[in-house]
Structures are given as structure tokens and as C-alpha cells.
Amino acid sequence: MIRIINLRVAVTVKSDIKDNVEKKYPPLRGAIETIHVVRRAVDARKKPNIVFVYTLFVEVHNEAQIMKKLGKEKDVSVFAAEDPEPIVLGSVPLAHRPVVMGFGPAGMLAAFYLAREGYRPIVLERGQDVDTRSHDVETFWKKGIFKPESNVQFGEGGAGTFSDGKLTTRITHPRLHEISKYFVEFGAPEEILYKHKPHVGTDKLRTMVKAMRERIIEWGGEVRFGSKVTDLFIENDRIVGVEVNGSERIDTTVVLSGVGHSARDTYEMLYKRNVEMTAKPFAIGVRIEHNQAVIDESQYGVEPSSLGLGAAEYSLVYHDKETGRTAYSFCMCPGGQVVASASENGGVVVNGMSLYARDSGVANSAIVVNVGPDDFGIHPLDGVAFQREWERKAYELGGSNFHAPAQTVGQFLGLSQAPSVQNSIYSYEPGVVNCDLHDCLPPFVTSVLERALPYWGRRIRGFDNPAVCMTGVETRTSAPLRMGRNEERISPTVGGFYPMGEGAGYAGGIMSAALDGAETAILCMAKYAKPN
């Protein structure tokens, strides 16, 4: 197979990719069998002359002969595809079926691979199936009726189900492509296999997770909703069972835990049961919203649809010299909305979401500042307490009814005659209240954001417009702790317990969590034989 990188094609060019390859590399004419688009990025540095930049795998006739003719082309090389390591099943007997805690990306892929190989996992998800959950979430957003066990954080698909559905990751691993192909099989758009920054959108994610669940069940797995693991049964420092909903016992010697970054009561239970964990850094801040056209103009210089492009994205970083902290954009959602994402009564949490089409006309992103144990304490649960403190302040400022505190950039920066949020674009439901965001964030966070906003405004015109709305608070950027695990991914303090995914501190998004779940299941299977 031949690998071609840096193939640049103007976005206005409508010819087939094969024609563009043959035009640039004449020796390939008549020899191409298939072309696989590995990556397609957008280069808008010389707008409005915007180009796609492709990486391709090309299968050809007479590869050796053609490579002799292309030998001096620096962007062309022979490529040997790296396949994932084969799955090898172990021999240690399993008297009981393995249990998977949580049905977010990590739990779902762990259960998927276990079921595929005949291990018949039992999945215990505290939240509801995606259809029931979607109804509960919509009711919360429209009417403010909150359900602690069925919300943006808890339920089928995990927190990623109500997000932009980004499938980007900095990790490189042969199994990522395999996982992506499964996602396509279950309803994700085929473009996720090659786009530089692929996304699914919450609408397509809902369909995808249901299809994956059905396949797990078809293969002998069991998925139980409304089933919260409330305790572990441990003998001689090893798992022997789990308690469900405070009453039912399920015997098992293997538990794969993918509980997500917001399962605070589960964190507390696991800490009491001596699961090793340590405090870790995360970030907190607010959501900022702009007219999508402002971002499009800055990034592309033209209306994206005129070039066949989607809504523009951005990624921003600011290193604060005064404090040494970093502010950055996080989970940027083009054409989306800001969503109420609480998982507990008495707290306001914001996040971002968009549908596949990204056509709401509003861009939103978290802008956050890093925090760590030096700020909130070294006890494993101190980060949770820190998050709760600021979420409760936001709840009180908003009126103690899940309305969120909001403020314009002009107000936040103390500009005279700054407009109020009532004259701004905002999408958070159930509603917002014009408040001072300094009252629901630590001073060391707000001071950095005050300096970051004008800095970003010099890079994206209009970013720090005084009328732009910011909504608080964003606190769930990642898990506030990390659970220990050894080379086999087993807890060093509780045998048979496998921490995995974002909630255990080992992932930072849908794809990395899915990969962590899959690889954890594969390591588990390498030790144990299939249960009887």
C-alpha cells in the first residue's frame, strides 16, 4: 500500500479525489485500485484560499514498479498497515460473569469486546436507556424538573451522549480505527474514519449507542438500567460481588468500572472500600457564546456553506505570566447550545452540545483555567468538594431553581455601560439570571480569564465583544481524581477491580475512553477464561 501525505486540494474543487491524485502523480494513472482517505484537514491560513489537506492510503497494481517512478516524491512512501494485537483469551477460571459498572464510552466498549468474545458481561448502569434519558433531560431543560439518576451525566452513552460528539484524540493506537469502524456500523457517519476533527453529534450518538447495546445483548450480554452499584463485597482484598441499589447482590470476581467523572457517591463508596485513588488536576470556568457567523468570518473569511464547509471551530490557549496558570477553550461546539448538566440537586453545571448538522447559528465553548491539589487539597475527594462548592454558589446566584448565573464580557471586565445578558445571545435552559460571575468562581480563575479574554479578542475579532454572554459554571472538564491500577489495569488494593475510562482518570473524551475500555477488557480476557 502507498501512503500519500500533504495532498492539497482547494475546497472549491469538485473533481474526484482520484483525479487529483493522478494529476499530481502521473505514474499512478491507470494503476489505482482503491483510495482510502485516512485524514482530511482544513487549512484556512490563507483565507479565502482554503484547501483540504489529505492523507491517503492508495492500493495500486505493480506497487514496486510504481514506487521506483515515485521514488523522489517526499510525500509518497510505502506503508505497512499496523493491525491491532490479536485478542488472546486466558485460562484462569471465572465462576461468575464479569460485571461492567457504567455504560458510557469506556463501559460500552468494554462490554462490547467482552460480549464479542463470549464472556456475557452484566452491565449495571445507574441511569436510564437513551430514549427515557433524552425525555428526562428535555423535561429538565424546559421545565426545570431534575432527576438525579437520569440526566446529562448519568445514563446510556454517558456524558458524551449530550455533547458535540467529538471523536478527536491525541492518542495513536491501531485499535482506534477498528473502534471507529464499529461506530460507523452502528450509525455514525462514515466521514469519522478520515476527517481531521470528526464529530457525530448528539442526535446520531443516540442512535449509535442503542445499536451497540442491542449487539451486546445479541452476543449474550445483559444491560440493566436504573441499576446503581452501591457497594462492593470484598474478601481477602478481592472482589467477590457487588450490591445493586442497596439491596440485590450479584456475585462476581471481576468488575470493570467505567463510572464517569460525575459519579461522586460512587467515588465515596469506592474510597471507603479501599480502592486506591489520588487527587488530580482539572479545570473550571464558564461557557462563552458567539454568533456562529463571527467565528466563521474569523476562521474562513467567507460563509462556510459557500465552500461546502461546516460551521467553523476554534482552539485557544492563554499562558498567564502573572500566575503561571493556563486558560484554554474546551469542548468547543460549533452551531450548538449550552446545556444544563447538573448531576446533583443544589448545583448548577454547564456544558456544551451540538447536533450533527451544527446549524443552531450559535457557537459555544468552555473557557477554563487549570486547578490542582495545591488549590483544593490532596485528599482524593477534595476535588469533588471543590467542584461542589462553586456549583452550589452558582445554583444560589441563579435563584436556586437551576437557572444559571450569566454575565456579558463587558460586565465581567468592568467596562462602563456594558450591556446585560438580556440583550445577548444565550441558549442555556431553563434560563439565566444576570449575575456577577466573580461570585461563583475562585478569584485566581476569574483574574486569569480577565486577562485571557482581550488576548483572545486580538486573535478572533469579536471574541471579547462586550455584549458576548458567559454562563457559569463549567466544572466537569475531567475527573477530579485518578484510581490506581497496575500493568494489568487492576487496582493494586482491590483484586479483580479494573478502573477505566474518564471517571478513573485515564481518558479525556469519547474516543480515548472507548479505547481505554476496550483495552481494559482485552487485558481482563487475557487473564480469564470464559465463564461457564
Side-chain angles (χ1 to χ4, degrees), residues 226-397:
S227 300
K228 179 165 67 175
V229 175
T230 48
D231 206 352
L232 304 181
F233 297 105
I234 299 172
E235 295 178 3
N236 299 320
D237 298 325
R238 287 195 55 84
I239 287 277
V240 294
V242 297
E243 178 188 81
V244 182
N245 294 336
S247 57
E248 180 187 2
R249 173 170 173 151
I250 297 176
D251 291 329
T252 185
T253 55
V254 170
V255 174
L256 292 82
S257 176
V259 297
H261 59 38
S262 294
R264 293 165 170 174
D265 48 1
T266 303
Y267 281 163
E268 292 164 1
M269 178 273 289
L270 296 176
Y271 178 77
K272 290 177 182 177
R273 288 290 169 253
N274 198 37
V275 172
E276 181 184 288
M277 54 182 71
T278 55
K280 67 174 274 294
F282 53 100
I284 66 171
V286 297
R287 280 267 153 186
I288 191 167
E289 297 185 80
H290 298 86
N291 186 315
Q292 182 65 49
V294 171
I295 307 303
D296 293 341
E297 174 64 27
S298 173
Q299 302 297 75
Y300 296 146
V302 294
E303 165 62 38
S305 62
S306 68
L307 299 176
L309 297 172
E313 304 177 53
Y314 61 80
S315 179
L316 298 170
V317 179
Y318 169 74
H319 300 292
D320 189 55
K321 294 179 181 179
E322 291 189 29
T323 63
R325 295 182 189 273
T326 299
Y328 58 95
S329 59
F330 174 80
C331 187
M332 192 268 152
C333 298
Q337 67 188 84
V338 176
V339 295
S341 304
S343 60
E344 296 177 334
N345 273 307
V348 161
V349 181
V350 296
N351 200 351
M353 184 190 89
S354 56
L355 303 180
Y356 174 71
R358 289 176 164 175
D359 58 0
S360 76
V362 181
N364 79 84
S365 177
I367 50 173
V368 293
V369 176
N370 63 299
V371 298
D374 288 344
D375 300 309
F376 50 75
I378 62 171
H379 187 281
L381 300 177
D382 280 346
V384 169
F386 181 80
Q387 290 173 327
R388 276 181 173 147
E389 175 187 356
W390 301 107
E391 292 167 11
R392 286 170 178 167
K393 287 181 185 295
Y395 182 78
E396 293 164 4
L397 278 173

Side-chain angles (χ1 to χ4, degrees), residues 29 42 79-80 111-112 166 170 187 232-233 265 374 404 423 439 451 462 503 514 529 532:
R29 286 177 183 158
V42 177
F79 180 80
F112 182 85
K166 290 182 179 66
R170 294 190 180 111
L232 304 181
F233 297 105
D265 48 1
D374 288 344
N423 299 316
D439 293 333
R451 292 185 286 274
N532 297 325

Side-chain angles (χ1 to χ4, degrees), residues 128-148:
Q128 295 300 315
D129 66 273
V130 72
D131 290 330
T132 303
R133 182 188 182 201
S134 297
H135 175 268
D136 293 340
V137 167
E138 290 288 342
T139 301
F140 175 42
W141 292 344
K142 299 297 183 185
K143 301 179 180 179
I145 300 172
F146 174 68
K147 291 191 175 183

Side-chain angles (χ1 to χ4, degrees), residues 3 103 127 156 171 185 231 285 318 358 429 435 465 474 527:
R3 181 174 184 255
F103 204 47
E156 185 172 23
I171 299 171
E185 179 182 343
D231 206 352
Y318 169 74
R358 289 176 164 175
E429 293 177 320
C435 299
N465 185 297
E474 173 103 15
K527 180 171 184 173

